[in-house]
Amino acid sequence: MAREQFQTLTEPMYYILLALMEECCGVDVMEKVQQLSGKRVKVGPGTLYAMLSKFEENEVIRLTAEEGRRKSYIVTQKGIGMLQEEYERLKMMVEDGAQYLQGRLEQF
């Protein structure tokens, strides 16, 4: 189920997983997403906790600590693989765009 559901990652999903390359809790993930994206991507608590739940359910991340309501997570090998695949996909898109658009934008 995980591969179909996460065939491609949205920007928030991508940055959440990047943030979880180091163990952290939800509040820290929200801050790291903004930092990593140069403040382009903001993840609200509802989106974040829904994604954390789906990622954990699909073994993309794992729970590392729980103190009261505060839970910490880290990305799993499966999650790292997903990040790598998405990174490669995005690189190809940029390369394809560069080849196609090079010299054509001046026409407009």
Side-chain angles (χ1 to χ4, degrees):
M1 178 179 157
R3 268 327 306 151
E4 294 84 26
Q5 185 174 11
F6 303 125
Q7 190 63 42
T8 58
L9 301 177
T10 64
E11 268 191 296
M13 291 165 72
Y14 184 78
Y15 283 105
I16 289 168
L17 291 180
L18 276 181
L20 289 171
M21 290 295 290
E22 296 177 352
E23 178 185 14
C24 56
C25 68
V27 173
D28 294 338
V29 170
M30 287 189 281
E31 292 173 11
K32 282 179 126 180
V33 165
Q34 282 197 312
Q35 177 189 12
L36 290 167
S37 69
K39 296 188 179 181
R40 283 184 310 100
V41 178
K42 182 178 180 181
V43 179
T47 300
L48 175 68
Y49 291 107
M51 286 312 315
L52 290 175
S53 177
K54 285 182 183 178
F55 282 152
E56 186 180 17
E57 184 179 299
N58 288 281
E59 299 176 347
V60 176
I61 64 172
R62 67 177 173 82
L63 183 67
T64 57
E66 189 170 1
E67 296 174 29
R69 293 181 58 191
R70 182 183 174 119
K71 296 179 180 181
S72 294
Y73 301 91
I74 196 160
V75 71
T76 62
Q77 281 303 121
K78 182 178 183 177
I80 291 169
M82 288 172 58
L83 268 173
Q84 184 65 38
E85 285 179 29
E86 185 66 8
Y87 173 75
E88 295 299 328
R89 186 184 76 81
L90 293 170
K91 267 185 18 179
M92 276 194 290
M93 286 176 61
V94 169
E95 291 167 6
D96 292 345
Q99 288 177 0
Y100 185 77
L101 292 172
Q102 197 168 36
R104 294 193 174 149
L105 291 178
E106 290 88 32
Q107 296 172 5
F108 296 99

